[in-house]
Amino acid sequence: MTASHSDSLVVLFGATAGAYGAKLGSDERELILLVWQVVDLHSKKVGTLHKSLVKADNLDLSDQCREVSALTPEGLSKAEPLDRVLQQFSQLVSSDLKVLGRSSYTLCSDGQLLIRQVLHPETSKKNLLLSDCFYSFYDLRKEFRSCYPSSAAGKDQTIKTMAEYLGLGTDEAEEDFGVWQVKTMVAIIFSMLSEDHVFTEPETVKHKYETGPCSKSETVDSETVIRARGLPWQSSDQDIARFFKGLNIAKGGVALCLNSQGRRNGEALVRFVNSEQRDLALERHKHHMGSRYIEVYKATGEEFLKIAGGTSNEVAQFLSKENQVIIRMRGLPFTATQEDVLGFLGPECPVTGGKEGLLFVKYPDGRPTGDAFVLFSCEEYAQSALKKHKEILGKRYIELFRSTAAEVQQVLNRYMSTPLIPTLPTPIIPVIPPPYTIATGSVRDCVRLRGLPYTAGIDDILEFMGDATGDIKPHGVHMVLNQQGRPSGDAFIQMKSADKAFMVAQKCHKKMMKDRYVEVFQCSGEEMNFVLMGGTLNRSGLSPPPCKLPCLSPPAYAAFQTAAVIPAEAALYQPQALLPTTRTPQASAAAPPAVTYYPAQAAQLYMNYTAYYPSPPVSPTTVGYIAAPPGAVAAAATATHTPLLPQPGALVRMQGLPYNTGMKEILSFFQGYQYAPDDYNGLIQLSDQARSVLQAPKEWVCL
């Protein structure tokens, strides 16, 4: 009876200083024991049984390990380190094979945990090289299930249950820990050979991660995808593959996630070859990459395709060259050519395929973004290129980073799928009557909660306020999110009267919520708006936002994306609630009702930490709202005397202005173009000549 791979098996068993059994390797504890024996599949003879202790860096043994193995730190302190034990393993196996007259062998272990979750991760962290024999092995549980279909499933099997199924009379107490396990595994193998079982399909471990493109048309099984969170921002796909060493990641299966600014956010989606590998990956939750622990959660195939999938033929052709190292260049001059980039990299960093190894990222209209991706055939060339980080090309310094195929897809998708100049659809009208708007007066009938736990929700706030909950106005609890859509630790609550707000501030100030104390300040609707625009409010008083310019209040018009329904996460964002009102002679008159956008449930506000102008009164997140019929808009505009943008005009948004820029500098920048001279509200209205502004320096104008 022979195996397709070799004519002998090396039965292998091991233990760590921590968990045992189904949780082996899940706690990152080091290997402390290896036991093995060679089995000749032809003659059914066995070699010498070897047992070797391994000296771990941390000799603190878990209670379970002490109980099961009977090993002690004192005994392990005299053992050899892992690298020496692995050398002895290879030498002794070769010696036993010669005695048996055999030349090749394949490992056979009880399940996959010892090989995939212990040996490969530990040797990777210690920068030790495993011999090729550890990249191919037989899973005795799967082989047993194949030979005896009526037995329990592989994941439910143990050495003891397999022995009991075969009626093997072995007594675990009579042998040392590890010795009984190997002897019993050998007896099980002999029983399988007597049933004419053939060992033909070994498990394999990939030597290295393979890069490659992913198409949005692919079908990705959600049972094969995980999300890794807490990654160092500079980590690459190879670093992530090393973190999951021992597990088989699908080709092109590492997708680093980018934030709204196109920078890595410390998360990645990883796709494995099957659900079994994914389940093993989940066991590495809170394992460490360097000094940081990494959180591992389940994800979906749809999430993976959203990040890694692409449809561009140009990108597919660029990524079709396999096993290439990808470097991202950022900050290139907009006039940079392929020759300029190749000259910048120089002959010491040859690009794969020359110009074909360069991919410039462009806007839909063909304008360059300043980003490019470069292919290198080996790690040596890539490292040489990275040494040019922040060197000068033209008059600009260039940033270079390691990149991935998924990042190429994300960056191209981001720039190519979003229009540069969003159109101004029909303005919208309120979808809920205005009784629940945020107050804008000077009555101090609101309170601000500062220092909330980031996990706190509205229910936590209501519990925190206790009996005062009954004094909150309907829809009066407003969670404040930052510009990334995450909790800022702030909330505003509208009370039924100023007295109620005062009582709440006195009673609840510095009261504990979960493990944090929360500060509570009484405030007015106007003070609330100042805080949302970047001002500060505490018991010492109110400090206005640093860029509060009364003349820069935007007019009451809207620039939104339209959709059929209001999503639950839509933000309440009022022009008059979030921005100070324009000081005009008509300010004393009754203010026209503001257009209010209500979420489906609790309102959410967005703290404007940057407080930039001009900006239309929209939620920082990309959300949709219900568009009003043209007739309703016209009626609303007439009733409120709200100026609408003249149709012939165009809108230009300027991004990246110096913080000390004033109106004079902006008007000077647009000198020579026609604009409405009376419009000093912070939005510059241009005529059809605005198209020529696109030729202005890209560093100043962002459309």
Side-chain angles (χ1 to χ4, degrees), residues 17 59-74:
L59 295 177
D60 183 19
L61 306 182
S62 69
D63 293 338
Q64 184 184 25
C65 176
R66 290 174 182 268
E67 180 181 354
V68 173
S69 67
L71 296 175
T72 63
E74 292 75 16

Side-chain angles (χ1 to χ4, degrees), residues 522-590:
Q522 184 183 9
C523 66
S524 66
E526 181 180 5
E527 291 170 336
M528 183 195 311
N529 304 331
F530 274 63
V531 173
L532 291 172
M533 290 310 301
T536 57
L537 173 66
N538 51 41
R539 292 187 176 270
S540 301
L542 176 70
S543 299
C547 56
K548 179 185 176 299
L549 301 177
C551 63
L552 293 183
S553 177
Y557 70 92
F560 298 94
Q561 294 180 343
T562 59
V565 296
I566 297 181
E569 67 272 14
L572 182 148
Y573 204 96
Q574 272 184 272
Q576 294 179 342
L578 301 186
L579 299 176
T581 55
T582 307
R583 297 181 181 177
T584 62
Q586 294 80 12
S588 59

Side-chain angles (χ1 to χ4, degrees), residues 117-132:
Q117 298 286 69
V118 177
L119 280 168
H120 278 282
E122 183 174 341
T123 54
S124 177
K125 289 179 181 179
K126 295 182 177 180
N127 294 316
L128 303 177
L129 290 178
L130 280 175
S131 60
D132 291 341

Side-chain angles (χ1 to χ4, degrees), residues 80-115:
E80 298 286 353
L82 180 59
D83 56 340
R84 295 289 302 276
V85 172
L86 292 176
Q87 291 178 5
Q88 293 175 5
F89 171 83
S90 298
Q91 295 170 358
L92 292 173
V93 168
S94 298
S95 176
D96 290 343
L97 288 174
K98 289 182 179 179
V99 172
L100 295 173
R102 302 300 175 190
S103 59
S104 62
Y105 66 94
T106 304
L107 298 180
C108 179
S109 66
D110 171 34
Q112 305 197 29
L113 299 183
L114 176 62
I115 304 294

Side-chain angles (χ1 to χ4, degrees), residues 6 138 154 162 168 171 186 195 279 297 334 391 397 449 499 518-519 526 555 569 616 626 636 666 682:
S6 59
Y138 288 107
M162 288 187 286
L168 300 177
D171 188 358
V186 171
E195 297 289 339
D279 292 340
Y297 303 100
F334 297 119
E391 289 191 6
Y397 71 85
L449 274 61
D499 292 338
V518 178
E519 298 175 289
E526 181 180 5
E569 67 272 14
I626 298 177
I666 295 177

Side-chain angles (χ1 to χ4, degrees), residues 649-650 670-677 684-690 692-693:
F670 286 104
Q671 184 175 4
Y673 299 100
Q674 181 181 351
Y675 57 87
I684 300 177
Q685 179 189 339
L686 303 176
S687 69
D688 290 338
Q689 298 182 37
S692 59
V693 178

Side-chain angles (χ1 to χ4, degrees), residues 339-637:
E339 290 77 9
D340 295 332
V341 174
L342 292 175
F344 172 80
L345 295 171
E348 66 274 16
C349 311
V351 177
T352 302
K355 295 181 180 180
E356 294 181 359
L358 298 176
L359 178 65
F360 285 92
V361 182
K362 299 180 180 180
Y363 289 110
D365 60 0
R367 292 186 296 120
T369 65
D371 280 33
F373 293 94
V374 189
L375 294 178
F376 295 98
S377 59
C378 65
E379 186 68 30
E380 180 183 355
Y381 295 155
Q383 289 296 334
S384 298
L386 290 173
K387 293 178 181 178
K388 297 181 178 292
H389 179 61
K390 291 196 174 182
E391 289 191 6
I392 303 298
L393 174 59
K395 295 182 179 180
R396 307 191 63 169
Y397 71 85
I398 311 301
E399 297 175 293
L400 289 94
F401 309 95
R402 295 185 68 97
S403 187
T404 67
E407 185 172 355
V408 176
Q409 298 281 22
Q410 282 186 84
V411 173
L412 268 293
N413 291 343
R414 185 184 303 275
Y415 282 110
M416 297 302 294
S417 61
T418 305
L420 300 179
I421 307 178
T423 57
L424 295 177
T426 305
I428 65 179
I429 62 174
V431 295
I432 294 180
Y436 304 120
T437 58
I438 295 180
T440 57
S442 58
V443 179
R444 297 173 64 81
D445 58 353
C446 303
V447 292
R448 176 190 181 190
L449 274 61
R450 186 173 68 183
L452 294 169
Y454 294 124
T455 58
I458 291 181
D459 291 339
D460 298 311
I461 292 177
L462 297 179
E463 181 180 354
F464 171 80
M465 296 188 63
D467 297 338
T469 301
D471 299 324
I472 301 176
K473 287 184 179 181
H475 297 255
V477 179
H478 308 289
M479 303 295 293
V480 181
L481 307 182
N482 61 24
Q483 290 186 323
Q484 285 72 45
R486 297 177 179 174
S488 66
D490 283 45
F492 284 99
I493 301 175
Q494 293 175 262
M495 308 300 294
K496 291 181 178 179
S497 67
D499 292 338
K500 301 294 185 184
F502 175 79
M503 293 299 295
V504 170
Q506 293 296 318
K507 180 180 178 181
C508 298
H509 183 59
K510 291 196 175 181
K511 180 180 174 182
M512 298 299 292
M513 180 185 293
K514 297 184 178 179
D515 58 345
R516 301 186 62 173
Y517 73 83
V518 178
E519 298 175 289
V520 182
F521 307 106
Q522 184 183 9
C523 66
S524 66
E526 181 180 5
E527 291 170 336
M528 183 195 311
N529 304 331
F530 274 63
V531 173
L532 291 172
M533 290 310 301
T536 57
L537 173 66
N538 51 41
R539 292 187 176 270
S540 301
L542 176 70
S543 299
C547 56
K548 179 185 176 299
L549 301 177
C551 63
L552 293 183
S553 177
Y557 70 92
F560 298 94
Q561 294 180 343
T562 59
V565 296
I566 297 181
E569 67 272 14
L572 182 148
Y573 204 96
Q574 272 184 272
Q576 294 179 342
L578 301 186
L579 299 176
T581 55
T582 307
R583 297 181 181 177
T584 62
Q586 294 80 12
S588 59
V595 176
T596 309
Y597 315 105
Y598 283 83
Q601 298 176 358
Q604 293 175 341
L605 301 177
Y606 284 79
M607 183 77 80
N608 188 354
Y609 292 107
T610 55
Y612 59 84
Y613 299 88
S615 176
V618 298
S619 168
T621 55
T622 304
V623 295
Y625 301 90
I626 298 177
V633 174

